[in-house]
Amino acid sequence: MKHTFNDLYAQFSRKMDRYSIILMQISLATVYIWFGALKVFGMSPAGELVEQTAYWFKPEIFVPLLGICEISIGLGLLIKRCIPYTIILLLMHMLVTLFPIFILKKVCFETFPYCPTLVGQYIIKNLVLISGALVIAGKYNESKTLDTTLQTTIE
C-alpha cells in the first residue's frame, strides 16, 4: 500500500490534534517543576540572575520561594481544574522573567537589542513558554467548556 506524504501527514496531524495539548501541558510542567526544584535546592544556574534582578530580597529566602512557586505552577498544569488559575500565575511569572532584559541590559545583551548573551537567550526562550501557555489556555477556556456542556445537555 503506497502512502503519499499528504496521507502520512494527515494521519500525524490527527494524532497531534488529539494529543498535542496534553504534551504541551506535560512539557511545561516538566520545565517548571525541574527549574523550580533547582532553585529550591540551590542548584539553579539562574539563581544569580534572580538575585541580581530582585536585589531588594534576601536571596536565601527569595530564590527557594520562587522555586516553590514554579513547582506549584508545574503541578497546577497537570491538574485540569487548576489550569485556568495556573495559566494566569504562569503568565504573571513569565512577565516578571522579562525584567532582567530591562534591568540588566549588559548581562542580557552584548549589543542591545539584537545580540543577546546566553542569559538573554535564556530569557527570550520564555516567549515559547508563553505561547504554550496561551495554547493551553485556549483549550481550557471555561466558557468554551460551559458551551460544550450546554450543547451536550441540549442534544
Side-chain angles (χ1 to χ4, degrees):
M1 181 189 277
K2 184 177 177 182
H3 289 285
T4 66
F5 174 78
N6 288 341
D7 293 334
L8 293 173
Y9 186 79
Q11 289 176 351
F12 171 75
S13 181
R14 281 191 294 277
K15 292 282 187 195
M16 287 304 95
D17 187 44
R18 184 172 184 179
Y19 298 110
S20 61
I21 300 296
I22 189 69
L23 289 172
M24 181 63 72
Q25 285 175 253
I26 292 168
S27 298
L28 283 174
T30 300
V31 167
Y32 265 91
I33 292 167
W34 193 338
F35 287 14
L38 288 173
K39 287 178 180 75
V40 169
F41 295 112
M43 301 170 62
S44 175
E48 187 178 326
L49 181 64
V50 172
E51 290 177 27
Q52 291 175 356
T53 304
Y55 55 86
W56 55 90
F57 290 113
K58 290 185 177 182
E60 60 275 3
I61 296 171
F62 184 72
V63 174
L65 188 60
L66 179 61
I68 291 168
C69 291
E70 289 177 357
I71 291 169
S72 299
I73 289 170
L75 294 173
L77 287 166
L78 300 175
I79 302 168
K80 190 174 183 176
R81 69 175 179 269
C82 295
I83 289 176
Y85 308 105
T86 301
I87 294 296
I88 298 300
L89 292 174
L90 185 153
L91 292 173
M92 289 189 318
H93 175 260
M94 285 291 104
L95 178 66
V96 172
T97 64
L98 296 175
F99 285 4
I101 288 179
F102 305 104
I103 297 172
L104 304 170
K105 286 182 188 172
K106 292 194 187 310
V107 173
C108 297
F109 292 94
E110 289 179 23
T111 306
F112 183 80
Y114 52 84
C115 190
T117 63
L118 190 57
V119 171
Q121 292 175 41
Y122 177 79
I123 294 167
I124 291 167
K125 67 95 179 87
N126 288 342
L127 296 174
V128 175
L129 300 180
I130 293 167
S131 297
L134 294 175
V135 168
I136 294 168
K139 172 68 175 177
Y140 291 102
N141 181 333
E142 287 187 45
S143 64
K144 185 177 180 181
T145 305
L146 182 58
D147 289 344
T148 305
T149 305
L150 287 174
Q151 284 177 342
T152 306
T153 306
I154 292 170
E155 294 172 356

